[in-house]
């Protein structure tokens, strides 16, 4: 039993450290069918119609011409289909529930643009059909990394929309595309109790 106590303590500590999801479900943010489009910083919820002053040192993403084009140059990097060798990338359309974490492919935090994410392919967005972008971001050049998602609808003939977005408040913690809340503490406690019960049963039968 004494050997089990450190393990149970570890489980209880893990259950007490709960991640939480920072969620935006406000009015849809329009992506104008213009060259400037809209800039979004998910960490501060700020938007801009022209390039912000901290474009290269903050977690900004720029959607323009209805979402036909996507640009990054700072601390927000979307999941892409493959590692870009130059400034071109293809932002990947994720299915609801897809994992977003450090195992995905991201471009470097430098000037990149996506121009081929709309189309009929499996990893592409279809016009006027909502899909998910996964991303990682740093809130400052020296901050930890956070993972998040954006639900978007692009339009190659008019205005598109950023419908909602979210990110994990705990650095380095993955998130599922479309997730709006972290696991409930009660469920984690049940998991801890279940693990403890299994360990005790094994101890008694040995």
């Amino acid at each position: 039993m004494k050997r089990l106590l450190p393990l149970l303590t570890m489980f209880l500590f893990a259950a007490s450290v709960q991640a939480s999801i920072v969620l935006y479900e406000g009015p849809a943010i329009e992506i104008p069918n213009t060259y400037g489009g809209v800039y979004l910083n998910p960490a501060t919820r700020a938007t801009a119609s022209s390039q912000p002053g901290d474009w290269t040192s903050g977690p900004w993403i720029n959607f323009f011409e209805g979402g036909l084009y996507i640009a990054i140059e700072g601390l927000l990097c979307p999941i892409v289909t493959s590692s870009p060798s130059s400034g071109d990338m293809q932002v990947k359309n994720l299915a609801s529930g897809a994992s977003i974490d450090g195992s995905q492919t991201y471009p470097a935090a430098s000037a990149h643009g996506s121009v081929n994410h709309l189309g009929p392919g499996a990893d592409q967005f279809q016009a006027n059909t909502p899909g998910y972008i996964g991303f990682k971001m740093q809130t400052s050049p020296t901050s930890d990394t956070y993972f998040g998602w954006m639900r978007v609808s692009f339009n190659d003939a008019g205005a598109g929309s950023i419908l909602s977005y979210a990110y994990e408040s705990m650095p380095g913690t993955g998130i599922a595309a479309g997730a709006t809340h972290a696991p409930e503490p009660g469920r984690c406690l049940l998991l801890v109790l279940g693990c403890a019960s299994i360990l005790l049963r094994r101890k008694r039968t040995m």
Side-chain angles (χ1 to χ4, degrees), residues 39-48 60 165:
Y39 294 78
L40 170 65
N41 181 330
T44 63
R45 300 192 176 186
T47 59
W60 291 93
Y165 59 85

Side-chain angles (χ1 to χ4, degrees), residues 66-159:
L68 187 61
Y69 302 103
I70 303 173
I72 64 166
E73 195 173 349
L75 303 181
L76 187 150
C77 299
I79 293 177
V80 293
T81 55
S82 61
S83 299
S85 57
S86 62
D88 294 331
M89 62 183 183
Q90 181 183 328
V91 172
K92 188 175 183 179
N93 181 12
L94 302 179
S96 176
S99 297
I100 303 166
D101 53 35
S103 67
Q104 309 300 324
T105 301
Y106 302 88
S110 58
H112 284 84
S114 180
V115 298
N116 55 356
H117 51 273
L118 277 174
D123 292 328
Q124 293 179 302
F125 293 85
Q126 286 75 54
N128 302 308
T129 302
Y132 289 96
I133 290 176
F135 66 88
K136 67 175 183 178
M137 70 173 181
Q138 292 174 269
T139 56
S140 72
T142 58
S143 82
D144 293 318
T145 297
Y146 301 84
F147 296 99
W149 56 261
M150 295 181 195
R151 187 167 181 261
V152 296
S153 179
F154 298 142
N155 187 346
D156 57 0

Side-chain angles (χ1 to χ4, degrees), residues 8-48:
L8 291 175
T9 300
M10 181 182 69
F11 277 126
L12 289 170
F13 177 77
S16 66
V17 179
Q18 291 296 311
S20 63
I21 292 177
V22 180
L23 175 67
Y24 173 85
E25 284 187 307
I29 301 168
E30 183 180 278
I31 304 172
N33 188 20
T34 62
Y35 184 73
V38 65
Y39 294 78
L40 170 65
N41 181 330
T44 63
R45 300 192 176 186
T47 59

